[in-house]
Amino acid sequence: VQIALVLYPGFTALDIIGPFQVLADVPGHDVVFVAAAAGSVVDHTGRCPLIATASFAEVTSPDVVVVPGSIRDEPPQPELVDWLRDVSSRPTWTTSVCTGSLALAAGGLLDGVDATCHWARASRLEELGARYTEQRVVERGPVVTAAGVSAGIDMALTLLDRLHGRDVAEMVQLAIEYDPRPPFDAGSPSRAAADTVALVRAVLNPVADTIAG
Amino acid sequence: VQIALVLYPGFTALDIIGPFQVLADVPGHDVVFVAAAAGSVVDHTGRCPLIATASFAEVTSPDVVVVPGSIRDEPPQPELVDWLRDVSSRPTWTTSVCTGSLALAAGGLLDGVDATCHWARASRLEELGARYTEQRVVERGPVVTAAGVSAGIDMALTLLDRLHGRDVAEMVQLAIEYDPRPPFDAGSPSRAAADTVALVRAVLNPVADTIAG
């Protein structure tokens, strides 16, 4: 099972490392970081470069693709969108975390389809033709999208269940001691304080966006 | 606020990227990956090298230290233990995820102190003089230990609350949409099936350990 973990400039590290850690230690999995060109790719903070060992051109038939999101409100990388269109034409699990779903949508994979992304970018997803669905993980056939950043862990465990069955998924969940205990109940805009939601939305929506919008 | 994120050969990526993502975007935080020597440090899977931009010798007074764990059942890196002993003699938050607490314990920071680590390594923590405590996050003054792998996210949010107050912690929780929905309830040995616990324990405890023990 070849698993292609996508990198592009400005990706958010936890978006891709969550699924990486869930998927990488399963026997028979071949996990590869892939990008437009092999080499170092820097995350949105500038502090956490990850290394792509293969280019998109070198990975033509992955069994699973995971596309991370970015905090940046920019159009998806064209090389990534082209590659997604190509690989998803063959049987593959095409998955995303956070705004990674915008790349799937730009590639035409989510036209009129239920999907999710980071709550603060829901309108961007809809602009690209998908139907934003406020769920942690949305499965529509072999296309699986996850909500913001940390949701990639839940998505990858769901994917493990579909690939190998519940026993394997539960073993990995126990191995990474995934028994979350958030100290606060502010992880969703529907339960965080209104002030908190407004502040985070302001931070995530750059001034340029406000001007353009 | 200087935050030193520790790397050493064989670290587990999610252990350190969880806290990284919680801490890195907070204004005023200076996040640095640090290791025995600056440069690339390879994780336990061999697939996810991260880059240390500073050596231990170059980071002498961090405000926060985060030590990740490893799947490998090996003694903590001596250079790391020496450095932890040194930096913790000054005011600092010394924190760990998973078996990172074994390095704290080896440095004498947990003698007779309540602490946690990955459930499958509880006996190792006790051998080093700490009192294993089955909690997600254990705070004892400025020493904060977290359970296995994914627990670093909960730990880092707790730490944000202590550093900057609940509002900041909740903003970050919402920004990373940390509203976990594990698809199964197998993240703790107290609730996973007995077979699952036995299998994961067997995978994590190498043959050499069984022979030695």
Side-chain angles (χ1 to χ4, degrees), chain A residues 80-92:
Chain A
L80 169 57
V81 173
D82 289 345
W83 180 75
L84 286 172
R85 213 178 263 127
D86 183 50
V87 296
S88 67
S89 68
R90 290 180 284 281
T92 187

Side-chain angles (χ1 to χ4, degrees), chain B residues 78-99:
Chain B
E79 297 93 322
L80 169 58
V81 173
D82 288 345
W83 180 75
L84 286 172
R85 213 178 264 128
D86 183 49
V87 296
S88 67
S89 69
R90 290 180 284 281
T92 188
W93 292 88
T94 310
T95 76
S96 65
V97 181
C98 199
T99 61

Side-chain angles (χ1 to χ4, degrees), chain B:
Chain B
V1 180
Q2 187 186 42
I3 297 170
L5 303 174
V6 168
L7 303 176
Y8 55 83
F11 73 93
T12 292
L14 183 55
D15 290 24
I16 198 71
I17 296 299
F20 164 80
Q21 207 67 68
V22 170
L23 300 170
D25 288 318
V26 176
H29 279 194
D30 173 27
V31 170
V32 58
F33 287 98
V34 59
S40 177
V41 184
V42 181
D43 77 313
H44 83 251
T45 74
R47 299 301 177 96
C48 187
L50 294 181
I51 311 297
T53 55
S55 68
F56 291 144
E58 292 169 317
V59 178
T60 55
S61 300
D63 300 289
V64 175
V65 172
V66 185
V67 183
S70 173
I71 202 171
R72 297 180 189 159
D73 190 18
E74 295 172 353
Q77 187 187 45
E79 297 93 322
L80 169 58
V81 173
D82 288 345
W83 180 75
L84 286 172
R85 213 178 264 128
D86 183 49
V87 296
S88 67
S89 69
R90 290 180 284 281
T92 188
W93 292 88
T94 310
T95 76
S96 65
V97 181
C98 199
T99 61
S101 57
L102 302 184
L104 273 57
L109 277 73
L110 296 177
D111 290 344
V113 172
D114 294 341
T116 191
C117 75
H118 192 289
W119 60 270
R121 294 281 185 270
S123 61
R124 291 276 182 255
L125 186 64
E126 299 229 310
E127 286 162 19
L128 290 166
R131 283 197 299 254
Y132 173 70
T133 307
E134 197 182 331
Q135 289 175 10
R136 191 76 176 157
V137 176
V138 178
E139 297 183 75
R140 288 297 177 271
V143 179
V144 187
T145 56
V149 191
S150 58
I153 299 173
D154 296 324
M155 186 278 289
L157 286 168
T158 301
L159 184 64
L160 269 189
D161 176 46
R162 302 300 179 264
L163 288 170
H164 305 296
R166 179 168 176 159
D167 287 354
V168 171
E170 292 196 345
M171 279 185 68
V172 170
Q173 185 182 353
L174 182 60
I176 65 167
E177 208 163 345
Y178 186 50
D179 181 31
R181 295 280 180 268
F184 307 110
D185 188 21
S188 141
S190 60
R191 291 197 313 284
D195 282 2
T196 306
V197 177
L199 274 165
V200 173
R201 198 185 288 278
V203 169
L204 292 178
N205 288 341
V207 176
D209 186 44
T210 310
I211 292 169

Side-chain angles (χ1 to χ4, degrees), chain A residues 12-209:
Chain A
T12 292
L14 183 55
D15 290 24
I16 198 70
I17 296 298
F20 164 80
Q21 207 67 68
V22 169
L23 300 170
D25 288 318
V26 175
H29 279 195
D30 174 24
V31 171
V32 58
F33 286 99
V34 59
S40 178
V41 184
V42 179
D43 77 314
H44 83 250
T45 74
R47 300 301 177 96
C48 188
L50 294 181
I51 311 297
T53 55
S55 68
F56 291 143
E58 292 170 316
V59 178
T60 54
S61 300
D63 299 288
V64 176
V65 172
V66 185
V67 183
S70 173
I71 202 171
R72 297 181 191 160
D73 190 19
E74 296 171 355
Q77 186 187 48
E79 299 93 321
L80 169 57
V81 173
D82 289 345
W83 180 75
L84 286 172
R85 213 178 263 127
D86 183 50
V87 296
S88 67
S89 68
R90 290 180 284 281
T92 187
W93 292 89
T94 308
T95 77
S96 65
V97 182
C98 200
T99 61
S101 56
L102 301 183
L104 273 58
L109 278 73
L110 297 176
D111 290 344
V113 172
D114 294 341
T116 191
C117 75
H118 193 289
W119 59 270
R121 294 281 185 272
S123 61
R124 290 276 182 255
L125 186 63
E126 299 229 311
E127 285 162 19
L128 290 166
R131 283 197 299 255
Y132 173 70
T133 307
E134 197 181 331
Q135 288 175 11
R136 191 76 176 157
V137 176
V138 177
E139 297 183 76
R140 289 298 176 271
V143 178
V144 187
T145 56
V149 192
S150 57
I153 300 173
D154 296 324
M155 186 279 287
L157 286 169
T158 301
L159 184 65
L160 269 189
D161 176 47
R162 303 301 179 261
L163 289 169
H164 306 296
R166 179 169 177 158
D167 288 353
V168 170
E170 293 197 345
M171 280 184 67
V172 170
Q173 185 182 354
L174 182 60
I176 64 167
E177 206 162 346
Y178 186 48
D179 181 30
R181 294 279 180 270
F184 307 110
D185 188 22
S188 141
S190 60
R191 290 198 314 286
D195 283 1
T196 306
V197 177
L199 275 165
V200 173
R201 198 185 289 276
V203 169
L204 292 179
N205 288 342
V207 176
D209 185 43

